[in-house]
Amino acid sequence: MQDIANNRPRRERKIRDSRIVSHRTGSAALDLMRQSSKTLAGRVAYVDMAPVDTEEAAQAGIADAQLWLRGGFPDSLLASDDRLSLDWRRDFIRSYLERDVPMFAPRMPAEAIGRLWTMLAHQQGGVLNQARIASALGVSNPTIDRYIDLLVDLRLVLRLGPWSGNVGKRLVKSPKVYVRDSGVLHALLELQTMDDLLGHPVGGLSYEGHCIASLVQAAGARRLPYFYRTHAGAEIDLVLEQGGRPEIAIEIKRSTAPSLDKGFGVACDDLGITERYVVYPGTERFPLRHGAGPARAGAVAARLSGARGQVCQGADTAQR
């Protein structure tokens, strides 16, 4: 018995050291799983290695506008100019369609996946109309399901589900879909410069997706992300739920002088949320309606990932 007790720390350390840590970066994660001939149940821990997000970029002194335009993949983000950055992202897209899709989904035509990816880029942040997409591609609804599932599994697309609890109101029940990396989104749409982006109709929803991807990553596995929308017009861009209870409401505005519609306040009241943020690209703090406070995406991401401190007036209100 004494020997077992003495060896226990060593045994526990050996067990911990034997665990395999999978840094999930899209297709690399699937490749690792396929190469293993033994089950990894109980011996694998997952660490999602997302592209550079707003919090990391701020810490590195990279302007959020550059991150938004070029996306978070380092070779694209740190390229010497916008043209080289776009060239890298074009090659990235091509490699996925020509190599990764045939490798992991040999029965799915890469050309159709590419067309779907581009269609989703044009509909960035919109409520998914699966029947219309299926009709445009000439395939069935279940086929579109499988195609989108693949893009989600490869971490190329973020599917944001609708919050669907019982609040006694008619709720939108279809998900929203975002191309996960803003730089890839802009490459699919052939937007090279900031002028190109700001002059394109997708600009506002591109910024929304850029912020949501970072905030969802910062929220981690403890908080489940949703959007909330009723047929009467009450809406929240991002709802974070913890323990089955809606906890945080986040509205995203690209304007440097954001304002809130009545629908945001109604939606927060529907869900009983008091911690309310408006993410926008400015730095000033000022009062807003409906108990929300303005903040940059990086500041809210820091709050979600566990950093100490208050990031905006909305946080002050919630904590009191």
Side-chain angles (χ1 to χ4, degrees), residues 6-7 61 80 100-101 110 128 193 195 212 226 233 276 278 315-316:
N6 290 339
N7 289 332
S80 58
D100 294 74
V101 170
L128 181 64
T193 68
D195 287 341
I212 284 177
Y226 300 95
R276 309 172 183 184
V278 176
D316 296 346

Side-chain angles (χ1 to χ4, degrees), residues 97-289:
L97 293 176
E98 294 184 356
R99 177 185 178 276
D100 294 74
V101 170
M103 180 186 301
F104 297 112
R107 296 186 179 182
M108 293 187 184
E111 182 179 353
I113 297 292
R115 289 173 59 199
L116 171 62
W117 201 0
T118 302
M119 290 178 68
L120 294 177
H122 282 282
Q123 300 175 26
Q124 175 81 343
V127 174
L128 181 64
N129 187 330
Q130 199 160 288
R132 185 169 64 183
I133 293 176
S135 176
L137 291 178
V139 297
S140 66
N141 276 5
T143 299
I144 290 297
D145 262 339
R146 292 196 298 273
Y147 289 179
I148 294 178
D149 284 345
L150 175 65
L151 293 174
V152 171
D153 288 344
L154 291 173
R155 301 185 63 77
L156 300 173
V157 161
L158 173 65
R159 182 166 45 198
L160 188 65
W163 190 87
S164 56
N166 183 11
V167 291
K169 296 188 176 182
R170 293 181 61 218
L171 303 177
V172 171
K173 297 182 179 179
S174 296
K176 287 184 176 183
V177 177
Y178 297 88
V179 175
R180 184 179 284 267
D181 181 77
S182 60
V184 172
L185 168 70
H186 302 152
L188 289 167
L189 299 177
E190 289 295 328
L191 303 176
Q192 177 173 306
T193 68
M194 184 58 72
D195 287 341
D196 295 337
L197 174 56
L198 295 178
H200 195 280
V202 82
L205 288 169
S206 167
Y207 183 74
E208 180 180 308
H210 162 65
C211 294
I212 284 177
S214 287
L215 295 171
V216 168
Q217 180 69 22
R222 295 185 302 113
R223 298 185 180 95
L224 299 178
Y226 300 95
F227 76 95
Y228 178 85
R229 181 185 293 179
T230 70
H231 286 277
E235 182 175 3
I236 303 171
D237 289 334
L238 181 61
V239 174
L240 296 175
E241 179 184 274
Q242 185 170 7
R245 183 178 67 85
E247 181 183 65
I248 299 172
I250 301 173
E251 189 74 3
I252 298 166
K253 301 288 187 181
R254 190 169 63 86
S255 169
T256 55
S259 61
L260 283 174
D261 298 329
K262 179 181 178 181
F264 176 78
V266 171
C268 289
D269 292 341
D270 288 346
L271 301 182
I273 298 175
T274 57
E275 189 169 354
R276 309 172 183 184
Y277 300 105
V278 176
V279 168
Y280 85 119
T283 58
E284 297 181 5
R285 297 184 181 182
F286 45 85
L288 286 170
R289 301 168 61 197

